[in-house]
Amino acid sequence: MIRGSMTLTDADLPGAWRNADDESKRGQLLTLWLTGIKIVGGLTAAIGGVFSWRLGHIDLAAWLILAGFFSAFVCELFFLRLKPERTWYEGRAVAESIKTLAWRYAVCADPFPKRMTHSEAETMFRQRISSIVNQMSDSIIFDRSDSVISSGMNTLRHLSFPERRDAYIRGRTLNQQKWYSKKAHINQHRATASWTLLTLIEVLAIVLASGRVFGKWDIDSAGLLAATISAGTAWASVKQYSPLASAYSITTKELGIQASKLKTVREADWALVAADAEEAISREHTTWLASRTGRFSSWKEI
């Protein structure tokens, strides 16, 4: 439903969007949990390799190594069987495609310009949604009973041009700009923190290795520290802090330019200009998806 501020909210989006969004979030959560457990398992095995802990006749260090490697192995089996990364990426691709179609329909952007009759616009929108759903029905269960075209979408579509334009600028362009700006800062801070932490660990590794070379101690910590550095690098690779910070920063700037342009656009040019604004958002998402993996070439935006 359109609120007093006259904009489109997530509650106004088609049920298929909610299905894809929920599925993507579950895939992301499972991917991060399994990755985290694998990393902890590797570190646990490395710790067992450094120390010689025994309890009577029980070799605790050996059991620690076994537990670490076994947990990592089990996580790998879950990755192979459940493919949570695929669910995460493809679910997000579907959700973003449906969301951009909903906004295009609601504000009369191409391919749903105002000159189309209500029946023609609805028919085309349903066809586009059906194409996406049919393409991904083997990996996402679309079971939401929400209507394909909500009352909020139709209410916004039938507003005057200035109202639709202002609703789009405020509820889509500036909202997305604020989101990307926030994410850019968060990822930049986390990239800096990750780099600093890994650098300190590497310095510590050099100090301890030097101490062993000059006979100050005989504890072999090289394996543990190497495993720690590898684990940190693997986690940073999964999260992609630096690439995301850069991509989000660029998108923030593009959306700011688009918002300024949209404020002065004529009604005759609105359908194309609003579609261009949506392309700016879709372009960032496409880049994100491609940076994650090139394996999912089967997905094709409608």
Side-chain angles (χ1 to χ4, degrees), residues 50 90-91 149 261:
V50 172
E90 293 193 341
I149 301 177
K261 184 178 180 180

Side-chain angles (χ1 to χ4, degrees), residues 14 46 74 85-86 123-124 156 185 220 254 257 264 275 285 288:
V74 170
E85 286 180 294
R86 186 184 187 100
T123 298
M124 177 179 284
L156 181 54
H185 283 98
D220 185 6
E254 286 188 0
I257 295 172
T264 59
H285 171 70
W288 174 86

Side-chain angles (χ1 to χ4, degrees), residues 40-61:
V40 171
L43 290 175
T44 300
I47 292 172
V50 172
F51 302 100
S52 299
W53 295 328
R54 303 188 68 86
L55 183 60
H57 297 293
I58 301 176
D59 189 340
L60 295 179

